[in-house]
Amino acid sequence: MTGRRALILAGTGLLAGVAEDLVRGGWHVVLPSRRYHPIAVPEQKQGLAALRALRPRGHLPTTGNGQARPGRAIWVEAGWDRPRELAAKAEAALEGPADLLVAWVHEQYRRAVMGAVERLLMPRAPVVEVRGVGGPPVEPEPLLAAHPTQLVMVGSVSDLGGNRPLAHAEITEGVLEAVHRAIEGRAPSLHQVGQSRPLVR
């Protein structure tokens, strides 16, 4: 298999938009989670798949045309409460070392899961770690020190005004910005998406 590989660790469907963007870019994306969530990657132009399938009369199928394989998303059934099993299943689905890790793992499982999957990454592969803010203070330090990390802190209130809850599209946009920075090899940084809800006493 050729092409770039990404491992996305998140609750079912939470980072589906990120997975879709990577697949559209030709990435092989592995998504371990408890429940299946299909990743829809629409064709760029209606009927394009049918047009690609047409061959001239007398055509004989061949392999090795040198074109890049289209991206794909593979769901792996796995739970965060079994990090070694999750890592083993993800490793089999990746078919090689991952070039990117995007992780939004519940605080309770964060260290165990991230530690278990670190061995699946290429040396110095970029990491995008998404963490929620609110509740007890969160130490904004990346967990995998050997990998350049874009750290995304997600609040609960939108930056777009009012006291409106943060929308899924806003989270996806913020995480995608960090993913693109990571892929481009830019310096590790801290990204804030939304604001934490103020404590009321």
Side-chain angles (χ1 to χ4, degrees):
M1 162 159 183
T2 60
R4 298 178 293 179
R5 298 174 182 90
L7 177 60
I8 297 182
L9 303 171
T12 306
L14 282 176
L15 295 177
V18 173
E20 290 169 7
D21 186 78
L22 289 170
V23 169
R24 273 193 294 275
W27 286 73
H28 172 79
V29 179
V30 174
L31 302 140
S33 65
R34 286 182 296 163
R35 289 180 296 282
Y36 175 70
H37 180 83
I39 302 298
V41 181
E43 288 288 339
Q44 298 162 338
K45 183 173 150 187
Q46 190 172 6
L48 194 58
L51 290 173
R52 284 186 192 148
L54 293 177
R55 301 287 185 248
R57 178 173 286 178
H59 171 77
L60 296 174
T62 60
T63 58
N65 60 7
Q67 292 183 348
R69 290 175 63 176
R72 63 184 176 152
I74 297 176
W75 171 69
V76 175
E77 184 177 12
W80 296 339
D81 56 343
R82 296 179 177 208
R84 286 190 303 243
E85 181 181 310
L86 181 148
K89 289 180 175 183
E91 181 176 29
L94 278 167
E95 301 175 358
D99 301 291
L100 173 69
L101 170 64
V102 182
W104 191 354
V105 179
H106 192 279
E107 207 58 39
Q108 173 183 353
Y109 302 106
R110 178 175 167 257
R111 288 191 184 281
V113 171
M114 299 279 285
V117 301
E118 184 175 19
R119 67 180 180 78
L120 306 181
L121 303 177
M122 292 284 292
R124 303 282 302 153
V127 172
V128 176
E129 189 176 352
V130 184
R131 301 185 64 194
V133 295
V138 175
E139 182 64 35
E141 287 293 323
L143 190 59
L144 303 180
H147 297 273
T149 301
Q150 303 292 325
L151 190 57
V152 181
M153 304 302 285
V154 177
S156 57
V157 180
S158 176
D159 283 328
L160 300 178
N163 199 20
R164 161 179 97 64
L166 191 61
H168 190 82
E170 292 172 273
I171 295 170
T172 299
E173 182 180 328
V175 174
L176 272 174
E177 182 180 315
V179 166
H180 291 158
R181 277 185 62 89
I183 292 169
E184 293 165 6
R186 300 195 39 208
S189 60
L190 178 65
H191 308 263
Q192 180 70 44
V193 178
Q195 306 167 30
S196 56
R197 195 173 297 277
L199 294 174
V200 178
R201 293 182 189 233

